Amino acid sequence: MPDSLAPALAAARTRLRRLRPAYPRPGRAGWRRWVPSARQWLGACLYAFLAVTGFVGIAYAVTDIPDDLNSFARQQDNVYYWADGSTMARTGWVSRQEMPLEKVPPKVRGAVLAAENASFYSDPGVSPTGVLRAVKAAATGGETQGGSTITQQYVKNAYLNQDRTLSRKFTELLLAIKLDNRASKDQILQDYLNTSWFGRGTYGIQRASQAYYGKDVSQLNPSEGAFLASLLKGAGLYDPALSAENRARAVERWNWILDRMVVTGHLSAAERATYTAFPEPSGMNLVGIPGAQNGYLVEMAKAYAVKAGRIKESEFDLGGFQVYTTFDKDRMAALTAAVQETQKDFDAEKRPDTDKHAKIGAASVAPDGRLLAVYGGPDYLKQGFNEANATTIPAGSVFTPLVYAAALEEGVLRTRGKPRTPVAPTTVYDGNDQVTVQTPEGPYWDRSGKVVKGRNEGGRNWGQVTLRQAVADSVNTPMLQLGLDVGLDRVEVFAERSGLLASSLGPRIPTFALGENSMPSAIRMAGAYQTFAADGMHTDPYSVRSVTRAGAPVPIAAPKPTRAMSERTARAVTDALRATVTEGSAKAVSKAHPGAAGKTGTTAANTAGWFVASTGKEITAVVVYRMALTDLVPLPLTGLGGDAPNTPASARAVSLWGDYVKAVK
């Protein structure tokens, strides 16, 4: 080392020794040597402050608000409403529905602020005193302390877990400050109110309002709002329905919150004085998975809403949708009661060979296509198979009015090379049993080499009958021949235009005209007859009027009426159907609803009994059948419910319809 540098290095060492605090302290004896000086204490505190500040600053910089909320904070229930606007069902893992802040009355918001965080609109998102209490509780394992701001509570609910650890609390503070800088106070308050737990299976103040008071949050008064605000402290401690002790606590806190609202300026002293009676909430009313008939309705409404609203199922399952259905509560009750009354005669244990696997499907449709009522089965939770929407049962002779309509509209072709001949309701056909089916080239031969002959129910010979009478009295042989005369391809087109699905229609062989190989559901069959009731305009049956999400409408592609047949044809068919009820195969219920127009239906194998009828207000299809859900093979109805062997298969469907329409007049 050069000699010239030695003095400089010595001087530097001296300065460093002076800057470095002497420790242990020189000139002190015993334990006093180890006690830092005031300067040393000050330096240590300064270093600690700088270290903590640096750590917090770095932590704040690298901590970001998560993109994804906790799953329950995002998930809501979907709510389904009857046609009259009353709640039908709620579905989802949680009971929650988002509500815009402006829909929450200001004084209800004031109750929450007074109870939870009066300085919410002025604080930085955290409460220093509350933080110290919470840190102490987390460090010592003591009871959870209050004092968290609304922002902190929302951050904990939406992004974090409920662990009581220092690391979780520290993250909560950072996120609360960052969220307070990024989002508006109104947005934070709205999110808090929509995600907070209020007990009774509910998240969010909208669901809480419905669970405790049976109304939307927008209809709450300050007194009711004060009670709901008390639940934020612990719903299990303040729900009066749980215990007398809970009620006493709820009344005490309710009073305190109202008084506190006066202090915070959210309520005047004069208005506070008017709230002297505790606003008793309703009893417990937890909503579970919809069963019984509501389950079938929800299933259909969901499927329609998802398809018509072009909503992804994954999005729909996150919830928050309000589905306003077309279902009529009173008609649903009447239809269910009529079915259950009919089923009293079925005894599978006493008569397993005739009554086992007996089923009933039924549906009512309005003339404009609205689905009013559906009977889908005994209970959706026990049997998801919807008997009203099943395409497993032949339509039988309820299909023949479509053949009649096609003939009236298109005419018939009996000779090749000649023009089609118009037909009218008065056109005469052979109504005898065992009449050979004819084509323009001669008798119709089946694949086995046999001539096809028509058969009437009971083998009855009717002689020469008009087409109107053939429909009214359910005479098969004229309609079988008429189907070939008009052309089965044209009949098929009419069936599809009237709302039957192409997938439910069978091959075009002669019995196609009698519905033997076509299997439309009861809903679709009612929809087809709706075409007659609407003077030839068909509207596909639909179950949803509108859909909203958090109050915002979701566009729904509503079905539009289309011209399926002329008004003249539709009215002619309706006239024949009216004759069915007044003088034909359904005259047993002619007094149930004067002016009704309907058609009975049976199948050659006696596996289904149908009745489809219109009253002007609704078109109802009822089908009674037997089928094991394990193989979906139709079973005969002979002797069902102890009936005589010659009882028409349609008799019970006709009787059920009569009970139903008498109940909904």
Side-chain angles (χ1 to χ4, degrees):
M1 176 185 300
D3 294 339
S4 60
L5 293 178
L9 288 174
R13 290 191 188 99
T14 301
R15 285 195 297 270
L16 285 173
R17 281 196 296 269
R18 290 174 180 174
L19 290 173
R20 185 177 62 191
Y23 195 80
R25 296 172 64 191
R28 298 288 189 273
W31 60 268
R32 291 181 177 83
R33 296 181 63 216
W34 302 98
V35 177
S37 67
R39 194 177 98 176
Q40 289 173 330
W41 274 115
L42 181 61
C45 290
L46 179 61
Y47 285 136
F49 175 77
L50 292 175
V52 170
T53 302
F55 174 75
V56 171
I58 294 172
Y60 181 83
V62 300
T63 301
D64 203 0
I65 298 173
D67 293 329
D68 294 329
L69 300 175
N70 288 335
S71 59
F72 88 88
R74 297 169 59 234
Q75 193 171 18
Q76 305 175 58
D77 57 351
N78 291 319
V79 191
Y80 297 80
Y81 298 91
W82 293 103
D84 64 4
S86 59
T87 302
M88 179 175 74
R90 298 187 182 111
T91 63
W93 291 108
V94 298
S95 180
R96 188 173 77 83
Q97 180 184 344
E98 290 192 1
M99 183 60 60
L101 187 63
E102 60 266 22
K103 297 292 182 67
V104 182
K107 292 181 180 179
V108 174
R109 286 180 251 163
V112 172
L113 295 174
E116 295 296 309
N117 187 185
S119 63
F120 170 72
Y121 278 95
S122 60
D123 65 38
V126 297
S127 167
T129 56
V131 169
L132 292 176
R133 287 197 300 270
V135 169
K136 179 181 178 182
T140 61
E143 293 186 1
T144 302
Q145 301 295 303
S148 291
T149 65
I150 281 176
T151 307
Q152 288 175 251
Q153 292 180 52
Y154 170 67
V155 164
K156 180 176 65 175
N157 291 339
Y159 301 113
L160 305 175
N161 56 42
Q162 304 301 309
D163 294 343
R164 291 165 50 206
T165 62
L166 288 174
S167 61
R168 200 276 297 156
K169 192 67 179 179
F170 182 64
T171 305
E172 172 192 308
L173 296 175
L174 295 179
L175 287 176
I177 296 171
K178 183 157 283 191
L179 182 65
D180 191 79
N181 290 330
R182 180 177 298 182
S184 69
K185 288 289 189 178
D186 281 351
Q187 183 64 52
I188 295 171
L189 181 59
Q190 174 180 290
D191 293 342
Y192 171 73
L193 292 175
N194 282 329
T195 56
S196 294
W197 169 251
F198 284 86
R200 298 195 179 184
T202 64
Y203 287 91
I205 197 167
Q206 165 71 352
R207 270 296 161 268
S209 178
Q210 293 172 333
Y212 289 92
Y213 291 111
K215 55 187 175 182
D216 284 350
V217 66
S218 61
Q219 300 172 316
L220 291 176
N221 63 39
S223 177
E224 294 163 336
F227 166 72
L228 293 184
S230 72
L231 297 171
L232 293 168
K233 190 174 178 63
L237 296 174
Y238 293 93
D239 185 348
L242 297 178
S243 68
E245 292 78 8
N246 271 24
R247 188 183 185 283
R249 278 191 292 266
V251 172
E252 181 181 3
R253 185 155 178 82
W254 166 77
N255 268 310
W256 178 84
I257 292 174
L258 287 175
D259 291 340
R260 180 71 175 157
M261 289 176 69
V262 176
V263 175
T264 59
H266 293 104
L267 201 64
S268 69
E271 188 174 4
R272 165 65 183 96
T274 64
Y275 298 121
T276 56
F278 179 65
E280 295 286 353
S282 62
M284 297 288 282
N285 183 27
L286 298 178
V287 180
I289 300 173
Q293 292 307 301
N294 285 7
Y296 300 106
L297 306 187
V298 165
E299 176 195 41
M300 288 186 290
K302 174 186 174 181
Y304 187 88
V306 167
K307 182 178 180 180
R310 297 182 179 180
I311 305 167
K312 292 182 180 179
E313 279 212 52
S314 58
E315 183 70 13
F316 191 88
D317 288 342
L318 281 177
F321 291 91
Q322 298 81 51
V323 182
Y324 296 88
T325 75
T326 61
F327 297 116
D328 184 294
K329 187 191 303 182
D330 293 336
R331 281 181 165 80
M332 272 299 303
L335 185 59
T336 301
V339 171
Q340 291 173 343
E341 184 64 28
T342 299
Q343 289 174 328
K344 288 180 180 179
D345 293 336
F346 302 163
D347 192 334
E349 293 185 5
K350 184 178 179 181
R351 294 181 295 271
D353 293 339
T354 61
D355 290 16
K356 192 174 182 180
H357 304 308
K359 303 188 183 303
I360 297 175
S364 272
V365 177
D368 60 3
R370 287 174 293 122
L371 261 174
L372 301 175
V374 169
Y375 183 85
D379 189 320
Y380 182 74
L381 295 181
K382 298 177 181 178
Q383 176 191 296
F385 180 80
N386 188 337
E387 295 167 8
N389 208 23
T391 55
T392 53
I393 297 299
S397 48
V398 290
F399 186 84
T400 57
L402 294 169
V403 179
Y404 182 42
L408 293 175
E409 195 92 344
E410 300 284 328
V412 296
L413 179 64
R414 291 174 176 163
T415 306
R416 299 291 183 202
K418 291 188 177 182
R420 299 182 73 85
T421 304
V423 298
T426 55
T427 300
V428 175
Y429 268 67
D430 190 343
N432 288 321
D433 192 48
Q434 298 287 344
V435 174
T436 299
V437 177
Q438 299 288 332
T439 70
E441 289 78 24
Y444 186 98
W445 298 77
D446 64 18
R447 292 183 178 180
S448 64
K450 294 182 180 180
V451 174
V452 176
K453 295 183 178 182
R455 296 179 181 275
N456 291 326
E457 189 172 356
R460 179 175 175 177
N461 291 315
W462 290 82
Q464 298 296 301
V465 296
T466 64
L467 292 179
R468 178 181 182 275
Q469 183 186 354
V471 173
D473 289 322
S474 201
V475 186
N476 289 338
T477 51
M479 306 312 295
L480 185 66
Q481 182 60 56
L482 184 65
L484 265 70
D485 290 348
V486 72
L488 296 179
D489 55 341
R490 297 182 182 232
V491 172
E492 184 177 39
V493 169
F494 257 74
E496 291 183 28
R497 280 161 51 179
S498 298
L500 300 191
L501 300 177
S503 59
S504 70
L505 300 177
R508 295 198 295 262
I509 58 177
T511 52
F512 177 80
L514 298 180
E516 292 291 341
N517 52 20
S518 295
M519 300 182 181
S521 66
I523 293 174
R524 284 288 171 175
M525 208 68 244
Y529 276 56
Q530 169 271 330
T531 309
F532 305 137
D535 289 335
M537 297 296 293
H538 174 72
T539 306
D540 273 345
Y542 64 99
S543 57
V544 175
R545 295 180 292 116
S546 62
V547 176
T548 61
R549 195 176 197 188
V554 176
I556 288 289
K560 296 181 179 179
T562 57
R563 174 63 65 184
M565 64 189 71
S566 69
E567 182 179 323
R568 180 179 179 181
T569 294
R571 291 188 174 184
V573 175
T574 299
D575 176 66
L577 297 178
R578 193 169 287 118
T580 301
V581 179
T582 57
E583 59 194 65
S585 57
K587 61 183 178 182
V589 289
S590 59
K591 295 181 180 179
H593 195 292
K599 177 73 180 72
T600 57
T602 57
T603 62
N606 199 38
T607 55
W610 287 83
F611 188 55
V612 187
S614 170
T615 65
K617 293 182 179 179
E618 74 275 310
I619 304 91
T620 305
V622 180
V623 58
V624 180
Y625 63 101
R626 291 178 60 224
M627 175 180 289
L629 297 183
T630 54
D631 55 22
L632 300 182
V633 175
L635 302 170
L637 292 176
T638 305
L640 176 64
D643 288 343
N646 61 347
T647 302
S650 60
R652 289 191 178 276
V654 171
S655 176
L656 191 160
W657 176 87
D659 292 342
Y660 167 62
V661 296
K662 283 187 286 188
V664 297
K665 278 186 178 180

